[in-house]
Amino acid sequence: MTAPGGRPAGGTRVAYLGPEGTFTHQAALEWARRPAPSGASAGSVDDDVAAEPLDTVKDVHDVVAAGGADVGVVAIESSVEGYVVPSLDALLSSADVVAVDEVAIDVSFDAFVRPDHGDLTEVSAHPHGLAQCSGFVTGTGLATAPASSNAAACRDAGPGTIALGPTICGELYGLQTYAKAVEDFRGGRTRFLVLTRRSAAAAHLARSRDAGATEWKTMLAITPSVTGPGVLARITAAFGDRGVNMSSLITRPVKAQESKYAFVVTFDEAPWDRGAREMLSDLLAAGDSLKTLGLFPAGAGFRALDGVLDPDHAPVGSVSANDSAEDRERGLLW
Amino acid sequence: MTAPGGRPAGGTRVAYLGPEGTFTHQAALEWARRPAPSGASAGSVDDDVAAEPLDTVKDVHDVVAAGGADVGVVAIESSVEGYVVPSLDALLSSADVVAVDEVAIDVSFDAFVRPDHGDLTEVSAHPHGLAQCSGFVTGTGLATAPASSNAAACRDAGPGTIALGPTICGELYGLQTYAKAVEDFRGGRTRFLVLTRRSAAAAHLARSRDAGATEWKTMLAITPSVTGPGVLARITAAFGDRGVNMSSLITRPVKAQESKYAFVVTFDEAPWDRGAREMLSDLLAAGDSLKTLGLFPAGAGFRALDGVLDPDHAPVGSVSANDSAEDRERGLLW
C-alpha cells in the first residue's frame, strides 16, 4: 500500500500526546513508518524515529512550534465521539502550527499476559477499557482491577493479570497476546492529525505530492466580524457559489463573547485550487478572519470514519412534506 | 431563584445515566428539586422523586419511551468537550423521545473522607478525576488509587482514603467534606437534557409556561434528500431569509452513506413562532426530512456554557482583508 502522505526521511522527531502505549502512540509510529516517497533517502525507518510522549495537547503544540520536534501527533476525531474538541481548540489557539497529514487507526483492544504468567486471577485496564471490553471481561469470570491507563495496566501486569490495551502494548512491554480484538463493538476508528510548523508546511506538502497525492482536504477556521441571523447563511453561500463542497462544519463559542462563534469547516479542495481561492477571497472581502488549520492529502482517513447514525437515511421520527399534518405536528412539535 | 422550566408534581420517576453519585445523578436531582410552578400541588419534592440509575444512554431512552420513567436525564454538551456525540446520536435515533428541559451544572470535585477516618494514606478517584484534580492530589503527597468510577471511590473509601467526586457523593455515602472544589481548572460546566415521551411534551411545555417561560430554544435535525456543494448554503439561507438565528450547527455522518449528513441545529425560537414556522415550511417544501429533537425554555443553561477559545476574538494566526499578501499566504497556506 502506498501512503497518501509523505514523510521526512532521517532522524524524525515525533512528539505525541502520551503516555507510551496509547492509541496516539500507535498512530505516531504508523505515520512514521510509512514508506518514504521514492527519491528520498532510504534507510531503516525505525532507527530514525525518536517518538516522545508529552503530557498535554498544548505541550505537543508548543514543542512543535519551538522546533523541538519535527511533527506532533494528536487525536482529532472519532467515529463514535465526534471531534476531540480540546484538540480542535488547541489548533485554533496555536499561532505557528498547522496540520499537514492525518492517520486513521482502528480502536481495538488486545488482551495480553506475561510470558511467565501463572494462574490468571484478574483483568486490568483503564475503566473505559474495561467497559469497552465488557463482554470479554465477563467471559473470563475474573475480577477486574482498574488501572490509571491501559498502558499502565500492561506495564504493571503481574503473573496473574490479563491486561487490555492497544496492540502496541505487546511489543512495548514484552507481553504475549492472549486474545486479539476483545472490544465489544468493532469498527470504531480514530483520526489523528500530524502537526508541523507553518514554515515547514510547504516541504511536507511537497513530499506528499512526491508520494502521489493529487487531491486535498482543507480545515479552515472562519471568524465573522459580526454574528446574528444570516451570518452562517452568508458563509455557506460563499462555498456554494464557488462550487466548493463542505464535508463538515462545527461551531465553537468564542470565550466571554456571547453569541460569538468561530466556524470550523472542512472542504474538499486545497486552498490554492481555483474555487477555494475565489471562495476564500469572497470571505476576506466580507470582513471575515480566516485561518487554514490543516491541509491533507485526501486519503483514507476521512472516509474511514463511517457514520454511526442508524437507520441509513433520515433519523427515525423525521417528517417530510409528504407526511400528514398530524405527523408533522408530532415530528416538529408544531 | 425561579426555575425557568416546570416540573411535574407528585411521584416523578426520573431515569438517568448512572451509576449513582455521578454528575448526571446530581443534575437529575437538581432538576427534580426545582420548585413546582405555582398552582401545582405542593408537598415535599424529595419524597416524591424516584431516581433510577441505568447503564446506557439507550437504556434511558428506552425506559422513557416505554413509560417506565416520566423523564430521563443525560449529558448533552460540556464547555470543554463540546457535544456529547453518543448522546446526540441516541436522540437522533430515538423515535418517541424528545427533550423538554435542560439543566447546567458546574463540573466540580469535592474531596471526602470517612467520619471515622484515621491516618490518610491515599487519594482515590476515576483516573480522569485524579487527572482533573492533579494539583490537589500532588499537594497531599499521598499515593493514588485508581477506581472504576468516582462514585465507587467514594462508596469504597477506607479509613485512610481521600475520595474525589461530585458534591452529591458526600450525602450519598455519608462522607465528610475534606475540601471543596479541588479541580485544577474552575468554570467547567456541563449541560444535561431532560427527556420525555413525545406524547407528554405538550404537558411539560405547559408547565414551563406556568413557571414563567416565554422564550424558547429548539434543537432540530435536518436530513437533506440530496447532498453536495450548496446544500448547507440552501439550508442556512432558509434560516437567514426568515430571520431565525442559529446558535449552533454540527454535522453527523449518516451510516454507510458516504457524503450523506444530518445537520443538528439549535435556533432561538419555538417551532411554532412565526419565523421558525415559515423556515420549517420552506425546508419541508425543499424536500428535507425534519425532526424536532428538543424544545426548552431559553434559561440559564445555554448561556452558562461559555466559550473556551482564547483569545477573545479571532483565533491567533487568523488573517483578514487588511493583512499583507504575505501574511495571507501564511495564514491560508495559499
Side-chain angles (χ1 to χ4, degrees), chain B residues 103-127:
Chain B
V103 188
I105 66 170
D106 291 326
V107 176
S108 180
F109 288 83
D110 291 345
F112 300 104
V113 293
R114 281 167 54 155
D116 61 345
H117 74 88
D119 284 347
L120 298 170
T121 56
E122 64 173 18
V123 185
S124 184
H126 187 280

Side-chain angles (χ1 to χ4, degrees), chain B residues 59-332:
Chain B
D59 289 345
V60 174
H61 279 264
D62 288 349
V63 77
V64 168
D70 298 302
V71 300
V73 177
V74 296
I76 190 65
E77 189 179 10
S78 104
S79 56
V80 176
E81 306 282 345
Y83 270 102
V84 181
V85 169
S87 187
L88 184 63
D89 285 355
L91 188 56
L92 281 159
S93 302
S94 195
D96 294 317
V97 169
V98 66
V100 288
D101 209 346
E102 52 167 356
V103 188
I105 66 170
D106 291 326
V107 176
S108 180
F109 288 83
D110 291 345
F112 300 104
V113 293
R114 281 167 54 155
D116 61 345
H117 74 88
D119 284 347
L120 298 170
T121 56
E122 64 173 18
V123 185
S124 184
H126 187 280
H128 287 189
L130 293 170
Q132 287 174 51
C133 305
S134 64
F136 172 82
V137 172
T138 305
T140 65
L142 303 180
T144 57
S148 61
S149 70
N150 298 311
C154 293
R155 185 192 62 207
D156 302 338
T161 306
I162 300 176
L164 310 180
T167 302
I168 191 180
C169 284
E171 171 188 342
L172 199 60
Y173 298 112
L175 300 174
Q176 285 181 351
T177 302
Y178 177 84
K180 295 282 292 175
V182 298
E183 64 275 10
D184 296 337
F185 299 103
R186 306 287 158 89
R189 303 268 288 169
T190 296
R191 189 165 67 89
F192 299 83
L193 295 182
V194 179
L195 307 169
T196 195
R197 287 176 298 290
R198 281 187 178 263
S199 57
H204 276 272
L205 298 174
R207 280 191 210 96
S208 293
R209 263 185 231 104
D210 289 345
T214 55
E215 300 191 343
W216 306 83
K217 289 260 191 186
T218 301
M219 271 179 85
L220 176 72
I222 306 170
T223 313
S225 53
V226 182
T227 54
V231 65
L232 192 53
R234 174 181 62 71
I235 288 168
T236 54
F239 281 76
D241 288 350
R242 302 300 189 175
V244 180
N245 188 49
M246 278 188 192
S247 55
S248 147
L249 182 149
I250 67 169
T251 48
R252 289 297 301 148
V254 172
K255 191 165 189 155
Q257 298 212 5
E258 202 171 302
S259 320
K260 180 132 195 188
Y261 292 89
F263 302 104
V264 177
V265 174
T266 304
F267 60 87
D268 293 346
E269 297 188 8
W272 57 75
D273 288 335
R274 185 174 156 194
R277 197 173 177 97
E278 291 171 343
M279 175 272 294
L280 294 167
S281 299
D282 292 346
L283 295 178
L284 287 172
D288 297 333
S289 295
L290 306 180
K291 180 181 174 185
T292 294
L293 302 175
L295 172 53
F296 333 101
F302 278 83
R303 278 187 212 108
L305 294 185
D306 258 351
V308 294
L309 288 183
D310 191 49
D312 289 343
H313 38 287
V316 60
S318 293
V319 295
S320 67
N322 300 325
D323 288 307
S324 67
E326 192 180 316
D327 283 347
R328 289 206 303 270
E329 282 184 19
R330 174 182 160 81
L332 294 173

